[in-house]
Amino acid sequence: MNITSAQFVKSSSSVEECPTDNLPEYAFIGRSNVGKSSLINMLTGKPKLALTGSTPGKTRLINHFLINESWHIVDLPGYGFARRGLKEREAFAKMIDDYVTKRSQLVSLFILIDSRIAPQAIDLKFIRDMGEKGIPFVLIMTKIDKISKGKLQSAIAHYKDVLSEEWEELPPFLVSSAETKQGRDEILHYISQTIHL
């Protein structure tokens, strides 16, 4: 798949405010600072399309980007929000839950995991929640340029071992680097194989 056009459509504070055009959607989510916006910019070839920054938690709304005038990339707020108050964390959690459970246009959710960090309880809980809700998802190990190939393979194997304790069938695993563009073709290929236009 080639991305020939990518443009910001709108930011929504609730699923009810999201676009009504019924185009297929691929949503990206992960803990704060996992490299979500950078990955979206790398995939689309537009360095400033999604807001990035050194401060975690830049994404606070559901952001839609129209791709090739035929489908959407959706940038969701990160989960966790350790530095935010309980009410704000609960509001974000509801926004995310409403989106993944009510948005019929959602084809697949990409859950981003920092490849350098061992499985975290918050990631495993989110993955478990998505499985229990029957949400189709893919795991993407990010920032693979920052570790060796051997450590990356060990990290993926460890994740699979941990997930195998609860899952009979493991979700797909992809890898990426926003810096080197590794994984770009594989992610776009996955989208092209699952999208229904």
Side-chain angles (χ1 to χ4, degrees), residues 36-57:
K36 182 164 47 71
S37 297
S38 296
L39 175 58
I40 290 172
N41 293 341
M42 180 269 280
L43 289 176
T44 59
K46 290 198 169 188
K48 297 181 180 179
L49 185 68
L51 184 65
T52 62
S54 57
T55 304

Side-chain angles (χ1 to χ4, degrees), residues 58-114:
K58 284 284 187 184
T59 307
R60 293 173 176 242
L61 299 168
I62 302 169
N63 297 305
H64 277 75
F65 302 94
L66 181 61
I67 310 300
N68 292 350
E69 299 186 0
S70 59
W71 57 280
H72 287 117
I73 280 177
V74 183
D75 187 5
L76 295 173
Y79 52 81
F81 323 114
R83 295 183 182 178
R84 295 178 182 162
L86 179 60
K87 285 187 176 180
E88 193 172 9
R89 292 202 304 273
E90 289 176 343
F92 278 117
K94 183 180 187 305
M95 182 195 303
I96 293 166
D97 186 69
D98 282 350
Y99 174 81
V100 299
T101 58
K102 297 178 180 179
R103 192 69 174 162
S104 60
Q105 294 92 327
L106 177 64
V107 178
S108 186
L109 182 67
F110 290 108
I111 303 175
L112 277 54
I113 306 289
D114 191 326

Side-chain angles (χ1 to χ4, degrees), residues 7-53:
Q7 61 191 63
F8 171 74
V9 177
K10 69 177 298 189
S11 295
S12 308
S13 60
S14 69
V15 69
E16 290 79 14
E17 295 178 4
C18 290
T20 58
D21 50 23
N22 289 321
L23 295 178
E25 296 181 1
Y26 289 82
F28 290 73
I29 196 168
R31 279 187 299 115
S32 295
N33 217 28
V34 74
K36 182 164 47 71
S37 297
S38 296
L39 175 58
I40 290 172
N41 293 341
M42 180 269 280
L43 289 176
T44 59
K46 290 198 169 188
K48 297 181 180 179
L49 185 68
L51 184 65
T52 62

